[in-house]
């Protein structure tokens, strides 16, 4: 059979890119959607480049989004996220992409799914994977999402219109709660390493945070240097899988998905060299992170990973809390990552039932890059 074509839009959201579909243009069964997304993105590709598809060979460029009518009474639209593996025929539907979340509201406005007022518009998003609500606020001009602006984000050239994302009650997106084990710090028994202190946190997406020094690292290593160390990569994946079982995400290490939990190396403020060659000023940020996504070191930081880190920084006793500097505004955490720095807001409090995350706030930009039809191999 010759290839067929489906209506689609290619969008950048934050420091990620993905193919956007309307739910009405895809099958209702996710099992039937999987081969479509694999073909569209160009996976699996043993060469790791996805040259025969729309993917870019790394996790942040191998994503898909499905937008449909709301199934939540307090939402305007449903947003379902799919993470497509690069080198294997796997599609993960369990988590969310914080970066592509920035493009969802503008997509909905431009597609006529949400009535937008001139000026700032609010789009209430139901994130289907995590069953959470996101409020997106961004400027609209002449009925379409504005893309021009003076807001810049690390890792993306140029500037654009600022998009504010409020992730409401981000705790417990996939696990039993914000702290799945009920503890700010756990001790994992890692073969070949021994006891390892780790903070297991589920805020926006599940993640395991470890002190980089406990693995003999500084925390300023480049993504390429981390990936070139095969022994380190294997150890980090083992830590991630052990943590996944401890967090209740799977019964065995083998059953832990590729996407979640993510594993992060955390350090205090450092004079690290960013990918553009600039040396970050330790006085200009509060905490440093190197995070792995889909078994690859991220060249910036997943937005949900940054939000989880910001939340963790406000949980007393956690590893990020111990490493991070206290800024003038404790609800704002300045996060240094391989591509630069970003500020994340986190409202966290201690209640009778334990630590509670009320919200996490980030600012991004987004742009529609292409629209029309995408080819699905026959």
């Amino acid at each position: 059979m010759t290839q067929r074509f489906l209506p689609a839009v290619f969008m950048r959201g934050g420091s990620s890119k993905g193919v956007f579909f309307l739910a009405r243009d895809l099958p209702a069964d996710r099992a039937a959607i999987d081969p479509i997304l694999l073909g569209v993105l160009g996976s699996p590709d043993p060469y790791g480049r996805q040259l025969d598809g729309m993917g870019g060979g790394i996790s942040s460029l191998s994503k898909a989004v499905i937008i449909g009518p709301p199934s939540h009474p307090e939402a305007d639209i449903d947003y379902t996220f799919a993470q497509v593996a690069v080198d294997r025929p796997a599609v993960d539907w369990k988590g969310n992409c914080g970066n592509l979340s920035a493009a969802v509201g503008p997509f909905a406005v431009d597609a006529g799914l949400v009535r937008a007022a001139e000026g700032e518009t609010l789009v209430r998003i139901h994130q289907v994977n995590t069953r959470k609500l996101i409020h997106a606020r961004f400027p609209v001009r002449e009925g379409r999402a504005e893309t021009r602006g003076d807001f810049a984000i690390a890792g993306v050239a140029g500037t654009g219109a600022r998009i504010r994302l409020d992730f409401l009650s981000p705790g417990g997106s996939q696990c039993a709660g914000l702290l799945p084990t009920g503890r700010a710090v756990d001790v994992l028994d890692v073969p070949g390493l021994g006891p390892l202190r780790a903070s297991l946190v589920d805020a926006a997406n599940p993640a395991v945070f470890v002190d980089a020094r406990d693995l003999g690292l500084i925390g300023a290593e480049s993504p390429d240097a981390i990936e070139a160390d095969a022994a380190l990569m294997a150890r980090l994946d083992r830590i991630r899988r052990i943590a996944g079982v401890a967090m209740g995400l799977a019964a065995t290490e083998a059953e832990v998905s590729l996407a979640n939990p993510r594993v992060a190396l955390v350090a205090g403020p450092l004079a690290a060299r960013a990918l553009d060659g600039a040396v970050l000023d330790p006085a200009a940020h509060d905490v440093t992170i190197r995070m792995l996504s889909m078994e690859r070191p991220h060249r910036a930081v997943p937005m949900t990973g940054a939000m989880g880190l910001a939340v963790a920084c406000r949980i007393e006793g956690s590893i990020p809390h111990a490493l991070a500097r206290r800024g003038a505004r404790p609800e704002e955490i300045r996060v240094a990552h391989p591509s630069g720095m970003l500020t994340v807001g986190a409202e966290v409090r201690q209640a009778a039932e334990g630590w509670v995350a009320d919200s996490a706030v980030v600012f991004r930009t987004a742009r529609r890059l292409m629209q029309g039809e995408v080819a699905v191999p026959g």
Side-chain angles (χ1 to χ4, degrees), residues 30 40 51 87 139 173 191 193 215 220 231 239 253 255 266 269 292-293 296-297 300 318 331 339 345 374:
R30 283 188 181 175
V40 166
L51 285 179
D87 60 350
S173 69
L193 181 64
L215 293 175
I239 292 168
E253 293 179 32
E255 294 174 301
V266 185
L292 273 69
S293 173
R296 298 280 299 277
S318 75
E331 72 278 8
S339 289
V374 67

Side-chain angles (χ1 to χ4, degrees), residues 85-158:
V86 173
D87 60 350
R88 65 194 75 181
V91 180
D92 193 291
W93 298 90
K94 293 181 180 178
N96 178 34
C97 173
N99 275 295
L100 284 189
S101 297
V104 171
F107 172 88
V109 167
D110 290 353
L113 302 178
V114 177
R115 181 176 297 176
E118 197 74 4
E120 185 177 81
T121 283
L122 165 66
V123 176
R124 303 172 304 164
I125 302 165
H126 174 220
Q127 213 297 306
V128 175
N129 308 64
T130 59
R131 307 175 305 282
K132 298 292 184 178
L133 291 174
I134 305 169
H135 285 180
R137 292 178 173 85
F138 52 92
V140 169
R141 182 178 181 184
E142 297 179 357
R144 296 183 66 85
E146 178 65 272
T147 58
R148 295 170 299 177
D150 58 4
F151 188 70
I153 59 176
V156 178

Side-chain angles (χ1 to χ4, degrees), residues 14-370:
S15 55
S16 291
K17 290 193 288 190
V19 184
F20 282 58
F21 299 91
L22 291 172
R24 67 188 183 217
D25 295 323
L26 293 173
D29 182 13
R30 283 188 181 175
I33 299 176
D34 282 5
I36 295 174
L37 300 186
L38 290 167
V40 166
L41 272 300
S43 296
D45 184 354
Y47 301 102
R49 300 177 67 189
Q50 293 178 308
L51 285 179
D52 201 36
M54 300 293 291
I58 55 177
S59 64
S60 60
L61 306 179
S62 184
K63 302 180 176 186
V65 166
I66 302 171
I67 305 296
S71 59
H72 191 289
E74 299 176 21
D76 301 311
I77 54 171
D78 270 8
Y79 151 46
T80 304
F81 170 68
Q83 177 71 64
V84 179
V86 173
D87 60 350
R88 65 194 75 181
V91 180
D92 193 291
W93 298 90
K94 293 181 180 178
N96 178 34
C97 173
N99 275 295
L100 284 189
S101 297
V104 171
F107 172 88
V109 167
D110 290 353
L113 302 178
V114 177
R115 181 176 297 176
E118 197 74 4
E120 185 177 81
T121 283
L122 165 66
V123 176
R124 303 172 304 164
I125 302 165
H126 174 220
Q127 213 297 306
V128 175
N129 308 64
T130 59
R131 307 175 305 282
K132 298 292 184 178
L133 291 174
I134 305 169
H135 285 180
R137 292 178 173 85
F138 52 92
V140 169
R141 182 178 181 184
E142 297 179 357
R144 296 183 66 85
E146 178 65 272
T147 58
R148 295 170 299 177
D150 58 4
F151 188 70
I153 59 176
V156 178
T159 61
R162 193 184 79 163
I163 300 168
R164 173 179 173 136
L165 296 173
D166 291 74
F167 290 74
L168 308 184
S169 301
S173 69
Q174 297 182 45
C175 303
L178 177 62
L179 299 178
T181 66
R183 295 178 291 272
V185 174
D186 284 273
V187 178
L188 307 178
D189 186 12
V190 182
L193 181 64
L196 176 70
R197 297 172 67 252
S199 290
L200 313 181
V201 181
D202 181 5
N205 265 334
V208 49
F209 299 99
V210 300
D211 188 330
R213 296 171 300 183
D214 290 343
L215 293 175
L217 302 171
I218 298 172
E221 289 79 4
S222 72
D224 287 343
I226 294 172
E227 189 165 18
D229 189 335
L232 173 62
M233 290 292 292
R235 178 162 288 173
L236 289 172
D237 189 62
R238 189 69 187 274
I239 292 168
R240 190 184 72 82
R241 292 180 180 277
I242 293 171
V245 174
M247 298 173 83
L249 291 169
T252 67
E253 293 179 32
E255 294 174 301
V256 173
S257 76
L258 289 174
N260 289 293
R262 292 168 174 148
V263 61
L265 303 168
V266 185
L270 297 171
R273 187 174 298 277
L275 294 179
D276 64 359
V279 177
L280 302 181
D281 180 1
H285 58 270
D286 304 313
V287 66
T288 303
I289 189 171
R290 298 292 185 266
M291 181 168 268
L292 273 69
S293 173
M294 296 294 287
E295 300 183 328
R296 298 280 299 277
H298 206 284
R299 298 185 71 79
V301 60
M303 195 48 49
T304 53
M307 287 187 287
L309 174 64
V311 169
C313 284
R314 302 206 60 201
I315 298 175
E316 294 178 9
S318 75
I319 288 171
H321 180 269
L323 293 171
R325 174 192 291 126
R326 307 291 177 267
R329 302 180 64 181
E331 72 278 8
E332 292 186 1
I333 311 297
R334 299 172 299 171
V335 179
H337 55 86
S339 289
M341 193 273 289
L342 65 90
T343 299
V344 186
E347 293 289 347
V348 181
R349 58 187 168 86
Q350 193 166 21
E353 66 272 23
W355 289 98
V356 177
D358 291 321
S359 68
V361 180
V362 295
F363 298 94
R364 301 273 86 188
T365 62
R367 190 166 76 90
R368 180 175 289 229
L369 304 175
M370 183 178 289

